[in-house]
């Protein structure tokens, strides 16, 4: 059987505000049926509304403490990168061991993860990052980044609407008409398109910005206006239709082209990403300082560094000129039931793809492995992390 003799650990997520869990009773049942022993930490699914009783019924063993799971498991399945676990007084990286597998979102190219990545490297564990799964046909069912981007785009726009100090739609009253909000969405991949669709449902006037013609066309199909950036296609489009990291001169031209639109916006949703690399800084400090008081920026690209120069990872603040900038890092964790269901299917499909006869087999020539493998043999091998200076 695929997982025969394999011990799989599912610890409780400890990031502040994180409600997701890496496996559901449904995916646990499938792993157990294929020969795995699955250890689930007590209460791991509570915030996603999956009870311990449901995990037990699916064949899991409930374990009280995270350190016991880390000590026993061959493979650790997590949602977010290792953090300090206050309950046991140890960093999760310190609980990992040489040769143990870790599959989770690591965002290894993000500046805030440089030191954590070094700590992870030094454990000797073999880690794979879910944000490295390539967008190819046979990897679609493993593509947790796309799944979570769907949630982030939807929830990010709802967050922006709640931060606003005025209505999103046009509202007619006895004393006059209030104009609809102007929403600008930067990057119309999966997350951006969800933001566009949600903003349109809320009644906003939406402008979409993407350097890729096909992505801009998709935004127009949802009712958004699009802004021409002037970036040639050969600089804009990479493998699989993803955006490329622009040369400095073209990034400056893009910023100049969009500057007035950003400044006039009531809401800016930032979702432009480069697979496995640092997100491009598109909204400059000068743009933010020129925006109107009460405007809102929600930077859902923050896990990979963010698109706004002023965004602070994990923080929300208001600038001196009254612009609210949100760098909340775990937006999908704020919708834990839906996002956990999708995530658990993605991570199960990846593990099932890698496992053969009770062992994980890594073919480093396989594009799925090559782009997601992050640490092995006490080295950081992830291309984006190495490009970022690790």
């Amino acid at each position: 059987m695929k997982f025969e003799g394999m011990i799989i650990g599912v610890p409780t997520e400890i990031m502040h505000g994180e409600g997701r869990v890496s496996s559901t009773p449904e995916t646990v049942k499938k792993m157990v049926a294929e020969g795995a022993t699955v250890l689930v930490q007590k209460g791991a699914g509570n915030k996603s509304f999956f009870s311990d009783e449901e995990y037990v019924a699916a064949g899991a063993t409930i374990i009280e403490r995270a350190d016991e799971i880390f000590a026993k498991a061959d493979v650790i399945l997590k949602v977010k990168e290792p953090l300090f676990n206050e309950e046991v007084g140890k960093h999760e990286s310190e609980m990992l061991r040489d040769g143990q597998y870790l599959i989770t979102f690591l965002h290894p190219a993000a500046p805030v993860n440089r030191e954590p990545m070094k700590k992870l490297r030094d454990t000797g564990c073999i880690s794979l990052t879910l944000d490295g799964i390539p967008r190819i046909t046979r990897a679609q069912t493993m593509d947790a980044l796309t799944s979570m981007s769907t949630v982030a785009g939807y929830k990010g726009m709802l967050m922006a609407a709640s931060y606003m100090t005025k209505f999103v739609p046009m509202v007619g009253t006895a004393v006059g008409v209030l104009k609809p909000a102007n929403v600008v969405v930067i990057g119309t991949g999966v997350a951006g398109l969800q933001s566009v669709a949600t903003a349109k449902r809320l009644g906003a006037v939406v402008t979409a910005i993407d350097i890729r013609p096909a992505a801009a066309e998709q935004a127009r199909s949802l009712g958004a206006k699009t802004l021409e950036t002037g970036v040639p296609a050969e600089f804009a489009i990479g493998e699989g239709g993803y955006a490329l990291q622009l040369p400095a001169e073209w990034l400056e031209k893009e910023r100049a082209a969009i500057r007035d639109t950003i400044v006039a916006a009531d809401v800016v949703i930032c979702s432009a990403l480069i697979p496995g690399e640092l997100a491009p800084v598109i909204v400059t400090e000068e743009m933010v300082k020129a925006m109107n008081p009460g405007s809102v920026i929600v930077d859902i690209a923050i896990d990979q560094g963010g698109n706004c120069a002023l965004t602070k990872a994990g923080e929300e603040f208001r600038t001196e000129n009254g612009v609210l900038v949100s760098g909340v890092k775990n937006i999908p964790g704020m919708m834990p039931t839906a996002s956990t269901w999708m995530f658990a299917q993605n991570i199960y499909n990846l593990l099932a793809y890698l496992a053969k006869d009770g062992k994980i087999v890594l073919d480093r020539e396989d594009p799925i492995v090559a782009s997601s493998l992050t640490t092995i043999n006490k080295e950081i091998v992830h291309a984006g992390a190495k490009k970022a200076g690790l």
Side-chain angles (χ1 to χ4, degrees), residues 4-323:
E4 184 67 43
M6 187 180 291
I7 302 175
I8 299 169
V10 180
T12 300
E13 295 298 318
I14 56 176
M15 177 178 279
H16 176 70
E18 180 58 72
R20 291 172 292 178
V21 61
S22 61
S23 300
T24 61
E26 179 182 351
T27 59
V28 166
K29 185 175 182 179
K30 290 193 284 187
M31 290 186 283
V32 170
E34 288 286 344
T37 297
V38 183
L39 310 179
V40 177
Q41 188 175 354
K42 183 178 180 180
N46 285 353
K47 292 180 181 178
S48 299
F49 299 99
F50 299 108
S51 68
D52 289 345
E53 290 75 17
E54 289 176 284
Y55 283 109
V56 170
T61 300
I62 301 298
I63 302 294
E64 186 77 26
R65 288 167 57 96
D67 50 357
E68 186 177 349
I69 288 179
F70 277 80
K72 292 180 176 180
D74 303 309
V75 183
I76 297 291
L77 304 182
K78 275 180 52 59
V79 178
K80 300 300 290 183
E81 65 270 18
L83 298 168
F84 185 81
N85 188 315
E86 294 181 359
E87 182 183 355
V88 299
K90 288 183 180 178
H91 197 283
E92 286 177 315
S93 288
E94 295 173 20
M95 294 187 271
L96 290 162
R97 64 180 183 274
D98 196 2
Q100 190 175 31
Y101 284 86
L102 170 68
I103 304 177
T104 186
F105 274 121
L106 289 168
H107 303 291
V112 294
N113 288 334
R114 287 191 176 190
E115 290 308 311
M117 283 306 306
K118 292 176 184 177
K119 185 186 290 285
L120 187 62
R121 171 198 64 195
D122 293 343
T123 67
C125 85
I126 303 165
S127 64
L128 295 99
T129 184
L130 292 162
D131 54 297
I133 300 297
R135 186 170 286 176
I136 57 178
T137 300
R138 62 193 175 90
Q140 285 182 337
T141 61
M142 313 168 201
D143 189 358
L145 185 60
T146 291
S147 295
M148 297 304 98
S149 292
T150 300
V151 181
Y154 170 78
K155 185 67 172 180
M157 184 57 219
L158 295 183
M159 289 165 58
S162 71
Y163 297 143
M164 287 183 65
T165 58
K166 54 186 180 181
F167 291 110
V168 175
M170 181 175 69
V171 174
T173 75
V175 292
V177 176
L178 291 93
K179 295 180 180 179
N182 287 311
V183 173
V184 175
V185 179
I186 301 174
T188 52
V190 174
L193 290 173
Q194 279 294 328
S195 291
V196 167
T198 304
K200 288 297 294 182
R201 292 186 200 108
L202 293 173
V205 174
V206 184
T207 301
I209 299 171
D210 200 297
I211 59 176
R212 300 164 297 169
E217 175 58 34
Q218 288 178 311
R220 285 193 291 273
S221 74
L222 293 174
K225 298 183 291 183
T226 54
L227 185 67
E228 179 56 56
T229 64
V231 178
E234 62 264 30
F235 292 117
I237 307 168
E239 186 177 351
Y242 283 113
L244 288 172
Q245 190 76 266
L246 291 178
E249 61 179 301
W250 281 108
L251 184 56
E252 282 300 322
K253 289 178 181 179
E254 181 187 12
R255 289 169 179 159
I258 70 173
R259 189 245 180 219
D260 290 346
T261 301
I262 297 297
V263 167
D266 297 303
V267 171
V268 177
I269 303 291
C270 299
S271 67
L273 295 175
I274 310 296
E277 297 188 23
L278 207 57
V281 176
I282 297 171
V283 179
T284 65
E285 181 176 355
E286 183 277 330
M287 292 180 199
V288 179
K289 288 182 175 178
M291 292 175 72
N292 293 320
S295 300
V296 175
I297 297 172
V298 177
D299 198 341
I300 61 179
I302 191 58
D303 277 334
Q304 287 178 232
N307 296 146
C308 175
L310 294 184
T311 310
K312 299 176 183 178
E315 297 183 27
E316 294 176 345
F317 69 98
R318 198 171 290 277
T319 64
E320 290 184 5
N321 61 312
V323 178

Side-chain angles (χ1 to χ4, degrees), residues 324-339:
L324 190 143
V325 182
S326 173
V328 171
K329 285 191 66 178
N330 57 338
I331 293 174
M334 300 168 72
M335 287 183 55
T337 304
S339 55

